[in-house]
Amino acid sequence: MSIKKFKWILFWVVLLGAIYFLWPTFFWYQMSPKDRLKAQQTREKIVGKILNLGLDLQGGIHLVLEIDETKLGKDMNVSDALNRAIEIIRNRVDQFGVSEPFIAKQGEKWIVVQLPGIKDPQTAIDLIGKTALLEFRLVENTGAIEKVATKARELGVQLKDIYDENHQIKKEFAEFIPKDYEVLPGKEEGYFLVTATAQVTGAYLTDAKMKIGGQYNMPYVGIDFNRDGAKLFASVTEANIERRLAIVLDSVVQSAPVIRTRIPDGHAIIEGNFTAEEASGLAIVLRAGALPAPVRIIENRTVGPSLGRDSVKAGFVACLVGLLLVVSYMIFYYRFSGLIADAALLLNMLILLGLMSLFHATLTMPGIAGIILTIGMAVDANVLILERVREELRNGKTVRVAIDLGYEKAFSAILDANVTTLIAAAFLFQFGTGPVKGFAVTLTLGIIVSMYTAIVVTHQIYDSWLAGRQIEQLSI
């Protein structure tokens, strides 16, 4: 196979490949927002083949979370806790159905979470920020909580105020609270006096699902324990029949049913007058596991979808105007040769977007800036080549020889310029985060593609145009 034939085969493979990979993205953005949301929730295959828009282009939320070091376990340091929290938050977000989330460590104790396309920010915040520490604790059954409540009424304080700032029981109530017990608030009713340590924890969970049923056909969460958890749960329920077992989530008693019989199969339910959305969200966080320590939101920015649409529109207009100006100038200044350069420029855009779709990249505003910069780099390469060809024509060379010498002499300058830019892009990718990395990826792909289209494709077009012809004059 000749080199010329190989180049044309490569050209058509690249062109058709770009169209193939870009087609799902084109089809996706023709769909209505309702259909796109449905496709994301059902995880249709097309979702994994499209060029996504970043937070700044489609709206969403940006959160910075701080982990509470004071609540860490004795055997865990902050770095380990951060890594564990990132893994758990990622699991929760994945199960929530958000595509292309950005979750990363920032500094020594912060976590950055970006969720593009979120329609209900508060639900997402609740899902991420919930510690989800699930515990089963026995309720004290000798009437001590009534005595505590009576004393509180006599002193004119509420039950939530019986602890001091160090979470130590105040001396006025110390005599009423048995050792190894503590008072916790209930989600629906009053307060409960429960054991200070859990009899069973959520660490033994293997599954949690939202279900609907029971006496009032209400949503609840069904949970399953592993073998060890099932044995422990069976032992606890067998030893405490007719006592109440509080189901505690993040130090709030969700419900406290009475144990009627031993439960040997490792199945239990959490009832708490939930809505279907609350029960579904609780099931997600229980499946993903508990955070190693509570997290606090220290920055919360919401980018509205209208602002994202404005950014997309502004970016599109900027690209279109820039492209039209460049294309018009090239045709005006270089005539027929400028037209060939413009064809390479359009091909450059098509291949670049096709590659970004292939890699399932996320397009952001910095990414659009990278594309615009790529257009400039591609034009620069074509200008260098065409000016060299002009020089050779002025020196009296034939069209065929002038074109070949033009490409040959311009190659080193084009290569140098693009390699130095690639080095800068490599440093941006290595040391940048989020949108900066996206800019570096777009720029790198764009430079590689522009070198192919400017040096190889345009030369192929000239070769085909000159094949078998005696061209005396080149329009340049």
Side-chain angles (χ1 to χ4, degrees):
M1 182 187 298
S2 66
I3 293 178
K4 184 184 293 185
K5 192 173 181 181
F6 172 76
K7 285 181 178 177
W8 276 112
I9 292 174
L10 178 64
F11 169 79
W12 285 111
V13 168
V14 171
L15 178 61
L16 295 177
I19 294 172
Y20 173 79
F21 289 115
L22 198 54
W23 176 252
T25 300
F26 175 77
F27 181 75
W28 175 261
Y29 290 104
Q30 299 300 312
M31 294 166 63
S32 67
K34 186 178 178 181
D35 291 338
R36 291 204 294 265
L37 180 61
K38 185 180 177 182
Q40 284 179 328
Q41 290 174 339
T42 56
R43 297 179 184 274
E44 292 182 13
K45 287 183 179 178
I46 190 173
V47 178
K49 299 179 179 178
I50 59 171
L51 177 61
N52 287 296
L53 299 182
L55 179 69
D56 51 355
L57 295 182
Q58 64 169 320
I61 58 173
H62 169 99
L63 303 173
V64 179
L65 310 173
E66 182 181 61
I67 199 159
D68 187 350
E69 298 175 68
T70 62
K71 300 292 177 63
L72 287 177
K74 293 180 181 177
D75 56 344
M76 181 172 283
N77 57 42
V78 177
S79 179
D80 292 341
L82 273 179
N83 292 331
R84 173 71 179 149
I86 288 172
E87 182 185 342
I88 291 168
I89 291 172
R90 193 181 302 282
N91 285 338
R92 292 181 183 180
V93 170
D94 286 346
Q95 295 185 48
F96 192 55
V98 179
S99 60
E100 295 305 307
F102 174 77
I103 304 167
K105 186 194 299 186
Q106 185 178 69
E108 297 181 351
K109 58 179 180 178
W110 297 291
I111 300 171
V112 176
V113 180
Q114 292 183 349
L115 305 179
I118 284 290
K119 307 298 180 191
D120 186 355
Q122 190 55 50
T123 299
I125 291 170
D126 292 342
L127 182 82
I128 292 169
K130 194 187 289 289
T131 306
L133 177 60
L134 178 67
E135 298 169 306
F136 292 81
R137 302 196 200 185
L138 288 169
V139 179
E140 200 276 343
N141 59 352
T142 62
I145 190 66
E146 285 78 13
K147 295 176 183 176
V148 175
T150 301
K151 185 66 178 179
R153 281 195 295 274
E154 290 175 0
L155 297 175
V157 299
Q158 297 182 353
L159 280 176
K160 67 177 182 179
D161 298 321
I162 65 173
Y163 291 98
D164 60 20
E165 60 272 13
N166 297 318
H167 199 65
Q168 298 296 317
I169 189 73
K170 292 179 179 175
K171 61 181 181 181
E172 296 89 342
F173 301 96
E175 61 179 300
F176 302 110
I177 298 180
K179 186 182 178 184
D180 298 329
Y181 278 79
E182 66 175 334
V183 177
L184 293 180
K187 182 184 178 187
E188 299 296 333
E189 54 174 315
Y191 285 78
F192 296 82
L193 189 56
V194 299
T195 53
T197 56
Q199 277 64 48
V200 185
T201 71
Y204 297 100
L205 285 186
T206 58
D207 196 12
K209 290 179 181 175
M210 187 278 285
K211 298 180 179 178
I212 295 178
Q215 184 178 359
Y216 301 104
N217 205 31
M218 293 286 291
Y220 66 91
V221 179
I223 57 176
D224 297 328
F225 290 106
N226 61 20
R227 181 177 297 179
D228 292 339
K231 287 181 181 177
L232 191 57
F233 198 64
S235 171
V236 170
T237 52
E238 183 178 21
N240 295 282
I241 290 174
E242 298 303 326
R243 285 194 66 178
R244 297 179 76 183
L245 183 65
I247 301 170
V248 183
L249 182 68
D250 293 344
S251 300
V252 175
V253 177
Q254 301 295 312
S255 59
V258 177
I259 302 172
R260 298 298 182 191
T261 182
R262 176 176 179 266
I263 303 175
D265 56 4
H267 302 301
I269 63 172
I270 304 174
E271 293 177 319
N273 197 21
F274 299 118
T275 64
E277 289 76 18
E278 288 173 336
S280 180
L282 178 57
I284 288 175
V285 296
L286 290 178
R287 283 199 302 271
L291 292 175
V295 293
R296 189 174 78 250
I297 296 173
I298 59 175
E299 184 180 345
N300 178 3
R301 283 189 283 128
T302 301
V303 180
S306 58
L307 182 59
R309 279 196 296 272
D310 290 345
S311 299
V312 172
K313 187 178 178 182
F316 177 76
V317 170
C319 279
L320 188 63
V321 171
L323 191 62
L324 286 175
L325 287 175
V326 169
V327 166
S328 302
Y329 180 79
M330 292 296 286
I331 294 175
F332 170 76
Y333 197 71
Y334 292 109
R335 303 173 192 175
F336 174 71
S337 298
L339 194 62
I340 293 177
D342 288 342
L345 202 59
L346 296 176
L347 184 65
N348 180 20
M349 294 285 292
L350 182 65
I351 297 174
L352 175 58
L353 293 175
L355 279 176
M356 292 179 71
S357 297
L358 170 63
F359 295 128
H360 196 40
T362 298
L363 185 63
T364 61
M365 282 302 288
I368 292 177
I371 292 175
I372 295 173
L373 184 56
T374 296
I375 294 173
M377 298 290 291
V379 171
D380 184 56
N382 281 292
V383 168
L384 283 172
I385 293 169
L386 295 179
E387 287 300 321
R388 286 290 187 182
V389 173
R390 270 185 172 178
E391 280 184 15
E392 298 304 325
L393 289 173
R394 280 197 292 266
N395 291 334
K397 301 291 193 306
T398 63
V399 173
R400 171 81 267 179
V401 173
I403 287 174
D404 289 342
L405 286 176
Y407 276 90
E408 184 181 330
K409 292 183 177 179
F411 179 75
S412 59
I414 296 171
L415 184 65
D416 289 347
N418 285 303
V419 167
T420 51
T421 309
L422 278 175
I423 292 172
F427 276 91
L428 285 175
F429 183 82
Q430 179 65 32
F431 299 107
T433 59
V436 177
K437 276 195 172 185
F439 173 78
V441 170
T442 307
L443 183 60
T444 302
L445 290 175
I447 289 171
I448 295 170
V449 173
S450 71
M451 286 190 69
Y452 169 69
T453 55
I455 297 173
V456 179
V457 174
T458 55
H459 205 170
Q460 281 179 257
I461 295 173
Y462 281 119
D463 285 343
S464 299
W465 179 57
L466 292 172
R469 297 182 182 179
Q470 288 293 328
I471 304 297
E472 300 293 336
Q473 190 171 10
L474 177 64
S475 176
I476 188 171

